[in-house]
Amino acid sequence: MLDLLRTIPWAYPALEVVHIVGIALLLGNLVALEARVLGRAATLPVQGLARLSLTLALSGFALAAASGSLMFATQPAELLANPVFLVKMGLLLVAGANALWFHGRRSLAKLDLLARVQMLSSTAIWLAVVFCGRWIAY
């Protein structure tokens, strides 16, 4: 697979498209759920929206993680030497920890101030991940 990414001119750009689509699915659905947690679209049931948006967000994360892993494999030494890449990986860990905490405390059932802060933090962390990803590309 790595040989294909290195030898077929359109393979790496196509992989980048898959990565971006994954990010869009992830971030877009988290923002939709965040809007509901913050009180927008109050007529939508939180649990139903959460099932849909989190399923799509996890699908997006899977696409982004798989494509990102393949992109990493094409130049691991360069990326590991890049401090912005390391920050991005750290932010991914923080995003995962925040998600575990959010769901572990059953924040969707509570919809309290902490749930709102966790959702806003999640979006801010993911935007920082996107920022780092773009920074790495240049």
Side-chain angles (χ1 to χ4, degrees), residues 8-9 12-13 21 28 30 32 36 54-56 60 69 73 75 78 80 82 93 98-99 104 114 119 124-125 136 138:
I8 298 173
Y12 197 89
V21 168
L30 287 180
R36 176 58 189 91
L54 292 176
T55 299
L56 292 169
S69 296
Q75 52 184 342
E78 293 88 348
L80 289 173
N82 185 333
L93 290 174
N98 186 53
L114 183 53
M119 287 298 297
I125 294 163
I136 291 165
Y138 298 99

Side-chain angles (χ1 to χ4, degrees), residues 74-91:
T74 65
Q75 52 184 342
E78 293 88 348
L79 288 169
L80 289 173
N82 185 333
V84 179
F85 175 79
L86 300 176
V87 169
K88 180 181 177 181
M89 294 300 106
L91 287 168

Side-chain angles (χ1 to χ4, degrees), residues 3-138:
D3 287 338
L4 295 174
L5 289 172
R6 290 185 184 117
T7 58
I8 298 173
W10 54 264
Y12 197 89
L15 189 59
E16 288 179 315
V17 169
V18 170
H19 197 66
I20 291 167
V21 168
I23 293 165
L25 279 170
L26 169 66
L27 193 54
N29 281 286
L30 287 180
V31 168
L33 182 58
E34 178 181 306
R36 176 58 189 91
V37 168
L38 293 174
R40 296 295 207 188
T43 58
L44 292 175
V46 173
Q47 295 303 323
L49 178 62
R51 272 190 305 278
L52 174 62
S53 65
L54 292 176
T55 299
L56 292 169
L58 284 172
S59 298
F61 177 77
L63 278 176
S67 57
S69 296
L70 285 171
M71 289 189 292
F72 171 80
T74 65
Q75 52 184 342
E78 293 88 348
L79 288 169
L80 289 173
N82 185 333
V84 179
F85 175 79
L86 300 176
V87 169
K88 180 181 177 181
M89 294 300 106
L91 287 168
L92 288 171
L93 290 174
V94 172
N98 186 53
L100 287 173
W101 181 31
F102 181 84
H103 294 289
R105 73 177 288 272
R106 302 190 191 289
S107 293
L108 281 174
K110 296 177 182 180
L111 296 181
D112 57 0
L113 177 62
L114 183 53
R116 291 177 176 95
V117 169
Q118 288 173 302
M119 287 298 297
L120 288 168
S121 297
S122 177
T123 298
I125 294 163
W126 283 109
L127 288 173
V129 167
V130 170
F131 178 84
C132 287
R134 292 310 307 148
W135 192 282
I136 291 165
Y138 298 99

